[in-house]
Amino acid sequence: MIRIVTTGHLHRLEQNADRAHTRVREVRVQADTALGRHVHNAIELTARAEQAEAAASAARWDKDTAETEAKRLRKQIGELEAALERAEATTDEVGVLLSHAIDALSAAQQELLLKDSEIRRLREELEGETMEGRTLTVLLHHGEPHTIYASREDAHADTATHGMHVWKPCDDRPASAFTWRCEAFIYNPVSNGFRRLHMPAPKQIEGAA
């Protein structure tokens, strides 16, 4: 079969070919665009997946860290509770000791007040008493002072415990002539001291008028 190609027909074929090339280019552009969009989406999805994995990993790490921290805190809370119990027990013991100390202090203060009152009373008695006419009894041993008593009765009572039961009046011999001798002394306001109640008679000096 012989096909006769005319100019018009050739021109139409060329136009169809041009339209086909244009369509091919358009399809190629669309394909490239679609491919680019696909690659972009793939990259974005990959990035999101990596971020999600990183977040999941961080979450797992945070979970493990949180559990570890929670265990540590629970242990610390237990130790603090035990320490608090010990502190409360110690506080109770200290409270008991403090209560006893306060009672002892109160008793000591009361005793001190009584002693202060007694001291004031004795001081007032001493200050109210006069020394005039007061006597003392001195126990002499070979004329040397041995013991001073407030009264002769006290002297006799004390010396009786040492085997000296009999006391007799002394003669005019000096005190040094007696092993034991009691001498009475009376307060002398002039000298603010004590002197013998019975002064020995002065010795006669030979040749004195």
Side-chain angles (χ1 to χ4, degrees):
M1 178 178 177
I2 299 172
R3 188 173 184 178
I4 299 172
V5 179
T6 63
T7 303
H9 183 66
L10 180 61
H11 180 69
R12 285 193 299 271
L13 290 175
E14 289 177 351
Q15 288 180 344
N16 291 334
D18 290 339
R19 284 195 296 271
H21 284 299
T22 301
R23 181 59 181 168
V24 168
R25 285 195 297 270
E26 291 176 355
V27 171
R28 183 175 294 170
V29 170
Q30 292 176 357
D32 291 341
T33 302
L35 179 61
R37 187 182 302 111
H38 175 73
V39 171
H40 176 75
N41 291 337
I43 294 173
E44 185 177 356
L45 290 175
T46 302
R48 289 181 180 178
E50 291 177 351
Q51 291 176 356
E53 181 64 24
S57 177
R60 286 193 298 272
W61 184 86
D62 290 342
K63 178 177 176 294
D64 295 340
T65 303
E67 290 178 351
T68 302
E69 185 67 13
K71 291 180 181 179
R72 186 186 68 82
L73 290 176
R74 282 194 292 270
K75 181 179 179 181
Q76 186 175 2
I77 289 172
E79 292 175 352
L80 290 175
E81 290 177 347
L84 180 59
E85 292 178 357
R86 291 194 299 270
E88 289 177 350
T90 302
T91 301
D92 294 339
E93 294 177 359
V94 171
V96 172
L97 294 176
L98 182 60
S99 177
H100 292 168
I102 291 175
D103 293 341
L105 178 60
S106 178
Q109 289 176 338
Q110 186 67 24
E111 184 177 358
L112 182 60
L113 290 175
L114 293 176
K115 289 185 180 298
D116 288 341
S117 177
E118 181 67 14
I119 290 172
R120 283 194 300 271
R121 186 185 66 79
L122 292 174
R123 184 179 290 114
E124 291 173 356
E125 290 181 359
L126 289 174
E127 291 176 351
E129 292 180 355
T130 177
M131 295 293 293
E132 187 174 357
R134 177 173 294 187
T135 60
L136 296 175
T137 299
V138 179
L139 178 63
L140 303 176
H141 183 59
H142 294 297
E144 296 294 331
H146 183 272
T147 308
I148 300 176
Y149 299 93
S151 66
R152 183 179 62 181
E153 290 76 12
D154 292 337
H156 289 180
D158 181 59
T159 54
T161 61
H162 300 288
M164 294 177 284
H165 300 283
V166 180
W167 289 95
K168 298 178 181 179
C170 297
D171 51 31
D172 293 335
R173 288 179 296 169
S176 59
F178 298 89
T179 303
W180 296 100
R181 179 171 174 168
C182 281
E183 287 275 359
F185 287 76
I186 188 169
Y187 178 73
N188 182 12
V190 177
S191 62
N192 193 25
F194 288 82
R195 63 175 177 80
R196 274 189 172 91
L197 182 62
H198 302 288
M199 297 297 292
K203 295 181 179 180
Q204 184 68 30
I205 301 177
E206 295 180 2

